[in-house]
Amino acid sequence: MDLGVLTRGNSTKTKGESRGSGSATVDVQLAEFEGLGSGELVKLILQADSARRQLDGYLTALLGRFGDLEGQDAVEELCRQFGLGRHRARQQAKTSNSLKALPDTLEAAKQGWISIDHARVMGESHLRAPLSKDQELELVVVAISEDLDEFKKTVARSEDERRADDGLTRHERQRERRSGKVFDGDDDMVVLHAEFDRIAGERVKAALHDLSDRLFREDARSGSDRTHEQRNADALVALITQRPARADSSDVNSNGSGCCPVGDSDAVSSDDSEGHDVGSEIAPQATTLIVSVDYDTLSGQLKSAGLIDGTPIDIDDLRHIACDAGIVPAIFAADGQPLYMGRKQRAVTAAQKLALIARDKQCIGCGMRASACEAHHIVWWDDNGPTDITNLVLLCPKCHRKVHKHGYAVVEDAAGQNKLKSPHRAIDRDRARGPTEAVAA
């Protein structure tokens, strides 16, 4: 499609080079639409959608080529410069990499015939069960006419057929595709996204619906205006962070899931005035939160409480969650809590680990959550590096292996923050703070 059809008004022109086709010009001219009727608006919307698809495909092809030159870590870092969150940036980088093996699919996206989301589904399936050329083209044709939800089912069926001789049942193949993600969304909200095989998914739905129904009956008695979505969210929090108070082998819900005991409508009670309703048979789960709180010695009061990521919380909220969670202070220097061990010992102390979590907040390489990370000596212990807080950073196991086995180095950026640098990219050796050769850890 000629993007020049979006004409009437100012235009933005960018020139690029498409693989195998020489020089190409992408000409997007944005039309004025005030005063247009519905029919004309629909026409422009369809044209704009086609242009968006082409640009999405072209961008993905560019990122794939950039990944060939600089590596996938560099692609993800570049995507972050678009203003994308870490989760979206990682997803875009993975899509650009997977579609390099499916040139026809990528070309269909570049031409605007299919969306980049359709292409991504095919790329992910190809990684699990390779597509032949003919199979790829067949799915591209189907992708043109099916919406994304339908197409996911089509690709799943195709994958099952391609893997028919791998000795696995369809349920076992579904289990392989299970996934769970927790990441920061907009406006300081936290987003959970999970996909389960059918059996596990039904168990989750049964447990969630049971507790949500109990909360609905409680809301009906109390006159609460909590919405269905809010009840589901509260039920999910309860199921994840709390546990049955009188759990035993007989505590199985009516659907047989065993995830949450089910009683009658009287088995639910409200635990505070803010609507944090949980079942009376549900008790707090052991949870640990790391918070930073200033203490005003003049007034003798706590002030400026915040979570590990810097999100401020009210002191009243801190008191409330203290009932359900163990509160651990962020310790940087305190009597009896040494943060500088020198060469006395190799392993970090509990206080040092807490200080690292409060300072780095996540893996300095990939952003993995701090609780899954390990302490790494910037100047390695075997090279006489001390076990001091200034010589330690948080690395997830995967990034830790990159340093010790693949030549990655911990360096400081312009702001003085520790970052992980790939050996495949130019490293300012004067600022490198650790060895880049693989030696014994």
Side-chain angles (χ1 to χ4, degrees):
M1 173 184 176
D2 181 7
L3 297 185
V5 296
L6 299 182
T7 168
R8 264 194 232 165
N10 295 330
S11 66
T12 301
K13 296 184 179 181
T14 59
K15 292 185 178 181
E17 185 174 309
S18 61
R19 297 168 114 181
S21 59
S23 179
T25 299
V26 179
D27 186 352
V28 180
Q29 297 184 328
L30 305 181
E32 295 294 339
F33 52 83
E34 293 295 334
L36 296 182
S38 297
E40 293 173 299
L41 285 174
V42 169
K43 181 179 179 180
L44 284 179
I45 289 170
L46 293 175
Q47 292 172 351
D49 177 64
S50 178
R52 175 185 59 83
R53 291 184 180 204
Q54 293 183 57
L55 290 174
D56 281 344
Y58 183 65
L59 174 61
T60 301
L62 289 175
L63 292 173
R65 176 57 181 154
F66 184 69
D68 291 339
L69 298 175
E70 298 290 340
Q72 284 305 106
D73 289 343
V75 175
E76 184 177 333
E77 183 178 333
L78 180 61
C79 290
R80 293 294 302 276
Q81 304 306 312
F82 303 161
L84 298 179
R86 189 175 297 277
H87 169 72
R88 288 287 305 281
R90 184 177 294 116
Q91 183 183 63
Q92 185 137 11
K94 289 174 62 178
T95 298
S96 67
N97 187 50
S98 65
L99 289 180
K100 288 187 293 187
L102 298 175
D104 291 326
T105 303
L106 183 56
E107 185 61 27
K110 288 167 60 180
Q111 294 296 328
W113 299 335
I114 65 175
S115 74
I116 199 63
D117 292 322
H118 286 73
R120 182 178 64 250
V121 171
M122 288 182 61
E124 292 172 349
S125 179
H126 177 73
L127 292 177
R128 293 187 294 265
L131 287 157
S132 68
K133 192 77 169 177
D134 290 342
Q135 290 168 334
E136 178 189 0
L137 291 174
E138 288 176 4
L139 286 177
V140 167
V141 172
V142 174
I144 295 174
S145 59
E146 289 189 347
D147 65 36
L148 187 59
D149 290 336
E150 291 175 324
F151 187 63
K152 285 181 177 179
K153 296 176 182 178
T154 298
V155 172
R157 288 193 296 269
S158 171
E159 186 175 322
D160 284 338
E161 292 173 1
R162 300 196 305 273
R163 299 182 58 180
D165 59 351
D166 62 6
L168 299 177
T169 66
R170 187 170 189 274
H171 175 251
E172 289 171 331
R173 287 193 285 270
Q174 277 190 333
R175 286 275 296 164
E176 286 188 352
R177 297 201 299 270
R178 68 190 185 278
S179 66
K181 303 171 185 175
V182 182
F183 54 94
D184 294 333
D186 298 330
D187 195 24
D188 287 333
M189 301 293 280
V190 175
V191 179
L192 282 74
H193 179 271
E195 294 187 58
F196 306 101
D197 62 82
R198 174 56 60 181
I199 295 175
E202 289 299 327
R203 294 182 64 194
V204 170
K205 286 196 299 183
L208 182 63
H209 291 166
D210 284 338
L211 188 50
S212 182
D213 289 346
R214 291 162 58 186
L215 298 180
F216 172 73
R217 291 192 290 270
E218 174 63 20
D219 287 348
R221 288 198 301 270
S222 64
S224 171
D225 58 357
R226 181 166 45 177
T227 66
H228 173 71
E229 290 77 12
Q230 290 171 335
R231 276 192 299 272
N232 277 344
D234 292 342
L236 188 60
V237 170
L239 289 170
I240 292 175
T241 66
Q242 300 175 352
R243 58 181 170 77
R246 298 187 298 276
D248 57 41
S249 58
S250 63
D251 283 333
V252 179
N253 66 25
S254 58
N255 296 83
S257 72
C259 295
C260 177
V262 175
D264 56 23
S265 59
D266 295 326
V268 180
S269 63
S270 176
D271 67 354
D272 62 30
S273 60
E274 297 181 3
H276 300 288
D277 299 319
V278 297
S280 60
E281 297 180 14
I282 299 293
Q285 180 72 288
T287 309
T288 299
L289 294 179
I290 300 178
V291 299
S292 175
V293 185
D294 293 334
Y295 179 72
D296 189 327
T297 55
L298 294 179
S299 64
Q301 296 180 338
L302 297 176
K303 294 183 177 181
S304 304
L307 298 178
I308 188 65
D309 62 358
T311 303
I313 56 176
D314 293 333
I315 295 298
D316 288 341
D317 288 336
L318 177 62
R319 295 192 184 98
H320 176 74
I321 63 177
C323 298
D324 295 341
I327 306 299
V328 180
I331 303 169
F332 287 97
D335 293 340
Q337 297 289 339
L339 300 184
Y340 296 84
M341 299 301 297
R343 297 287 297 175
K344 294 179 182 178
Q345 66 182 53
R346 179 171 184 162
V348 300
T349 65
Q352 286 176 320
K353 185 64 179 291
L354 287 174
L356 281 174
I357 292 174
R359 187 194 69 192
D360 294 345
K361 297 180 175 59
Q362 59 190 12
C363 171
I364 66 166
C366 67
M368 173 67 75
R369 62 185 180 277
S371 60
C373 292
E374 305 162 343
H376 165 69
H377 290 75
I378 298 172
V379 178
W380 295 358
W381 173 262
D382 287 353
D383 290 335
N384 294 318
T387 307
D388 294 343
I389 192 68
T390 52
N391 190 46
L392 298 169
V393 291
L394 282 182
L395 291 175
C396 72
K398 182 178 179 180
C399 289
H400 210 166
R401 287 194 298 273
K402 287 182 178 181
V403 172
H404 285 285
K405 301 295 184 182
H406 303 294
Y408 282 66
V410 176
V411 300
E412 284 186 353
D413 61 15
Q417 298 296 313
N418 290 318
K419 302 292 182 182
L420 204 59
K421 205 79 165 185
S422 166
H424 304 301
R425 304 177 62 197
I427 296 177
D428 183 350
R429 300 292 178 181
D430 292 333
R431 297 187 66 82
R433 301 185 58 196
T436 57
E437 299 296 326
V439 298

